[in-house]
Amino acid sequence: MTYNKKTIEDIDVAGKRVLVRCDFNVPLKDGVITSDKRIVEALPTIKYLLDKGAKVILCSHMGKPHSIFTEGFGLTKKEKQKVEALPAEEQAAAKAELLEKALGDKKKFTLKPVAVRLNELLGDKVTFAEDIIGPDAKAKVAALEAGKAVLIENVRFDARETKNGADFAKELADYADVYVNDAFGSAHRAHASTAGVAAYLPAVCGYLIQKEISVMGKALADPARPFVAILGGAKVSDKIGVINNLIEKVDTLIIGGGMAYTFFKAQGHDVGTSLCEEDKLDLANEMVAKAKAKGVNFMIPVDNIVATEYDENAEHKLVNSDDIPAGWMGLDIGPKTREIFANAIKGAGTVVWNGPMGVSEWKNFAAGTEAVAAAVAESGAISIIGGGDSAAAVEKLGFADKMTHISTGGGASLEFLEGKDLPGISCLLDK
Ligand code: ADP
Ligand code: MG
């Protein structure tokens, strides 16, 4: 998809009430934020709006709370049926248990710590509302001054959020004059706060989404060539859509990671105990044939680091791809492959990389991913990293600032690379 969407700079926001969907789904441990990266990344959009004198209403989800209760604490239909199916004397206890669980999740997944951090970063401009469409949020939104913000509570506490309930979307929209979506990580989901609200308000994107769609959009629509795609990670089935879409566009397609073994097996090699999807063998062969028909340079590993078991400290050795012994599993690409892949990456104009080359979380099986990261960093190519684990690997290895763009959305960036329409983006106004 190529998107050309209006941004916050294309719409008048001065004095307006602006509802901003952010991705404040930060990692928490015992109520303490362990990485504020997502909050920091959201600041440019928030600061722009505050500086322009907008009244900013911030919203986000956090985690996957048990959202059986709507704001009014009514059971959802399904839960109600479940409770009512129980013997009469057990119903009250079952209901209480569900209520307690929901209330527990309300503490666990509250956005309150995010509001505290936002205030540290923005200088006390943000108030926090303890509810979403409740009395607290309504009062705080009504009292908002220009250049100030309110963060309302986790939208997923309301079961209508993920169901994209029209009434919930309308209630959110009623807070504002303008809607801004800046939550790329949730843009592949048609939820009330990510897409539904756009039916009721002029809708534009913030800086984060704008960067994602311009960099990735350009790479896919009009790439500097040669265009090299590197795909790895665990499973072929996770990446079929990405392979299918990129095969149409790239000059070179590199396959590594756990995925490679399904391709070896399809070509008739033994893969020992490596990850292998038996039901995807035909598909793997189809992909190879398709690449050949399109004139795509298709590369799979020639050697591998194999281990006796799936364990960080497992005994391991180097073998060629056509020589994987029974009882051993491939957990990384070998040194010959690293060199071949690095050479292919060296001359690239554009590189799109999704999925580690091995179990890069473990030191003994990280060398392949590290070599590819180094090659991409040194290539001078426009480099785009999509996928949560790949982004984490690149950051951990210290190559993050050498990449053109590291996508902030795992699932969303994958769907973008698959060429799918993202509902949180297509709902925004075109330029
Ligand atoms: P991304 O999040 O970047 O899209 P994936 O989630 O598809 O990437 O894949 C990452 C996972 O794949 C990691 O947990 C990694 O350990 C695993 N992986 C990579 N290579 C192998 C392999 N050879 N065998 C088993 N798991 C692998
Ligand atoms: Mg992943």
Side-chain angles (χ1 to χ4, degrees), residues 66-142:
H66 193 70
S67 68
I68 55 160
F69 295 96
T70 58
E71 280 284 288
F73 288 103
L75 292 178
T76 59
K77 232 195 207 155
K78 220 168 155 190
E79 293 293 342
K80 209 169 159 195
Q81 282 168 355
K82 226 169 140 186
V83 169
E84 281 168 3
L86 294 169
E89 65 274 18
E90 286 173 27
Q91 288 190 10
K95 212 167 160 179
E97 193 185 314
L98 288 167
L99 180 62
E100 197 178 320
K101 188 153 197 275
L103 287 174
D105 274 4
K106 284 203 168 187
K107 276 193 208 121
K108 197 161 136 200
F109 295 111
T110 175
L111 282 171
K112 202 167 191 174
V114 173
V116 172
R117 186 72 189 119
L118 275 170
N119 272 327
E120 289 164 4
L121 294 163
L122 290 167
D124 290 329
K125 288 188 177 149
V126 186
T127 49
F128 178 68
E130 311 266 346
D131 49 24
I132 312 164
I133 313 287
D136 195 33
K138 281 186 176 160
K140 281 173 178 156
V141 170

Side-chain angles (χ1 to χ4, degrees), residues 272-410:
T273 51
S274 306
L275 266 187
C276 180
E277 291 163 276
E278 297 285 344
D279 60 334
K280 295 290 176 301
L281 299 180
D282 289 343
L283 193 98
N285 280 330
E286 265 169 47
M287 304 271 183
V288 175
K290 192 168 162 188
K292 204 169 169 194
K294 300 247 169 227
V296 172
N297 179 20
F298 185 88
M299 306 173 90
I300 52 176
V302 296
D303 59 352
N304 310 271
I305 308 294
V306 292
T308 48
E309 58 184 327
Y310 185 74
D311 187 278
E312 190 165 5
N313 301 308
E315 181 192 346
H316 53 279
K317 63 179 180 182
L318 172 65
V319 298
N320 286 332
S321 294
D322 55 6
D323 206 16
I324 298 175
W328 291 69
M329 62 175 71
L331 294 182
D332 196 11
I333 58 174
K336 260 184 277 171
T337 305
R338 286 172 221 156
E339 201 183 324
I340 295 169
F341 286 3
N343 275 328
I345 293 163
K346 208 191 252 169
T350 304
V351 178
V352 167
W353 180 14
N354 169 252
M357 294 292 100
V359 185
S360 58
E361 301 95 319
W362 295 339
K363 196 171 61 37
N364 288 342
F365 309 103
T369 301
E370 186 161 5
V372 165
V376 176
E378 284 157 19
S379 68
I382 293 161
S383 50
I384 294 168
I385 318 300
D389 291 290
S390 322
V394 164
E395 265 153 31
K396 197 172 126 200
L397 294 167
F399 292 106
D401 59 349
K402 299 261 174 53
M403 306 300 178
T404 310
H405 182 63
I406 300 180
S407 179
T408 52

